[in-house]
Amino acid sequence: MTENLQNANNVAPAEADEGRPVIIRTLRLKKIYQIGTVTTEALRGVDSVIYRGESVAVMGPSGSGKTTFFNMIGGLDSPSSGRVFIDEVDVAQLNAVELAFLRCHKIGYIFQSYNLVNYMTALENVTVPMVFAGAAAEETLDRGMALLELVGLADRWHHKPIQMSGGQQQRVAIARSMANKPSILLCDEPTANLDLKTGREILDILVKLNKERSVTIICATHDHRMLNLSDRMMWIRDGRIDRIRRRDEVKIELGSIDGELE
């Protein structure tokens, strides 16, 4: 492991005007896709700051660059130009092993489609990231059961995804995302496939992780309930950040935000 990653937690994080520590920064972030003779600018110089322990809702229409932005800050793709900093470590300077370590230990992912392994039990799905991180067998079982208890599924640890509802599968996915105690959770439409009641339960779990464990939540969503629970909202349009608002600056009504249909 090189010095960049070993010292990741020893570098003083940048601070913005509010005096809060910054966990993610992007500088002039660009992503260009070339398919044959067609060039697509998915991101066009995005500058952003996300503070440690806050909850941010990321909005934007299909094709706006929202998913690309997620992939950049999650280390799942590399920018064409610009820089991404996680805890003041330049992600572009990490080698493949260091990048895998970053994704394994600092960032948890929650997907719209759950992405559980169908032949594994709930407990096995939760503990898979711990196995890849090299945790001892006894530790993985204890921590896995504790996480299933956190999301209210300790009594279904032996059930496979086919034996669970969509909401239960998403609870398992949340438990799995927390397997290696990440400081950042990236959530891609986590309530999109769920009914209103179940979606609310999932949001309550995310809020609990944010408030009680100080996990930074970055959520791509069109669920207005998530907006109500976020510290800030970020709109991305045409590969650029269109606007950023604090929650207390935004009036949210059914079907609209600030009177503008989303």
Side-chain angles (χ1 to χ4, degrees), residues 191-211:
T191 62
N193 293 335
L194 306 175
D195 60 62
L196 292 176
K197 178 178 180 296
T198 306
R200 175 68 206 198
E201 292 169 352
I202 295 302
L203 294 180
D204 287 343
I205 294 172
L206 294 177
V207 170
K208 184 176 183 179
L209 292 173
N210 175 245
K211 301 304 181 185

Side-chain angles (χ1 to χ4, degrees), residues 150-170:
L150 174 70
V151 299
L153 285 180
D155 61 337
R156 299 181 70 88
W157 66 269
H158 56 296
H159 287 214
K160 295 180 179 179
I162 197 172
Q163 299 171 302
M164 294 183 283
S165 67
Q168 289 170 337
Q169 290 184 60
Q170 192 63 297

Side-chain angles (χ1 to χ4, degrees), residues 37-261:
T37 59
V38 178
T39 299
T40 302
E41 290 185 87
L43 295 179
R44 306 184 183 194
V46 173
D47 292 322
S48 65
V49 171
I50 296 173
Y51 302 107
R52 183 178 300 280
E54 77 169 337
S55 176
V56 177
V58 180
M59 309 286 291
S62 178
S64 63
K66 183 170 73 261
T67 298
T68 303
F69 178 70
F70 260 53
N71 290 341
M72 297 296 110
I73 63 178
L76 299 176
D77 199 356
S78 56
S80 300
S81 64
R83 305 169 79 181
V84 177
F85 295 88
I86 306 291
D87 275 339
E88 289 306 291
V89 173
D90 187 347
V91 175
Q93 302 302 314
L94 303 180
N95 61 37
V97 174
E98 294 169 334
L99 189 57
F101 183 93
L102 176 79
R103 290 195 296 252
C104 183
H105 292 273
K106 282 192 174 290
I107 304 172
Y109 303 88
I110 301 172
F111 303 97
Q112 178 179 341
S113 56
Y114 320 136
N115 286 5
L116 301 179
V117 181
N118 289 328
Y119 62 83
M120 289 185 172
T121 65
L123 180 58
E124 289 169 337
N125 268 284
V126 172
T127 58
V128 162
M130 304 179 203
V131 173
F132 283 116
E138 183 177 349
E139 179 187 359
T140 63
L141 294 177
D142 290 344
R143 200 191 316 166
M145 285 302 298
L147 287 169
L148 285 174
E149 183 175 0
L150 174 70
V151 299
L153 285 180
D155 61 337
R156 299 181 70 88
W157 66 269
H158 56 296
H159 287 214
K160 295 180 179 179
I162 197 172
Q163 299 171 302
M164 294 183 283
S165 67
Q168 289 170 337
Q169 290 184 60
Q170 192 63 297
R171 287 169 181 261
V172 174
I174 292 173
R176 179 188 58 190
S177 74
M178 292 297 297
N180 292 320
K181 305 175 183 178
S183 52
I184 301 166
L185 276 187
L186 294 179
C187 312
D188 185 10
E189 298 283 3
T191 62
N193 293 335
L194 306 175
D195 60 62
L196 292 176
K197 178 178 180 296
T198 306
R200 175 68 206 198
E201 292 169 352
I202 295 302
L203 294 180
D204 287 343
I205 294 172
L206 294 177
V207 170
K208 184 176 183 179
L209 292 173
N210 175 245
K211 301 304 181 185
E212 296 183 6
R213 300 195 178 197
S214 298
V215 177
T216 303
I217 306 285
I218 307 167
C219 187
T221 185
H222 289 93
D223 189 332
H224 287 190
R225 293 169 300 175
M226 186 68 212
L227 305 184
N228 268 316
L229 301 171
S230 300
D231 299 310
R232 289 190 297 155
M233 296 104 180
M234 178 187 300
W235 281 265
I236 296 181
R237 297 184 188 276
D238 299 322
R240 297 184 175 91
I241 293 182
D242 180 61
R243 54 193 168 122
I244 300 175
R245 301 277 185 85
R246 293 195 312 269
R247 173 63 191 89
D248 58 9
E249 297 175 326
V250 177
K251 180 181 179 182
I252 298 174
E253 297 178 349
L254 183 61
S256 67
I257 303 174
D258 281 348
E260 175 185 349
L261 287 177

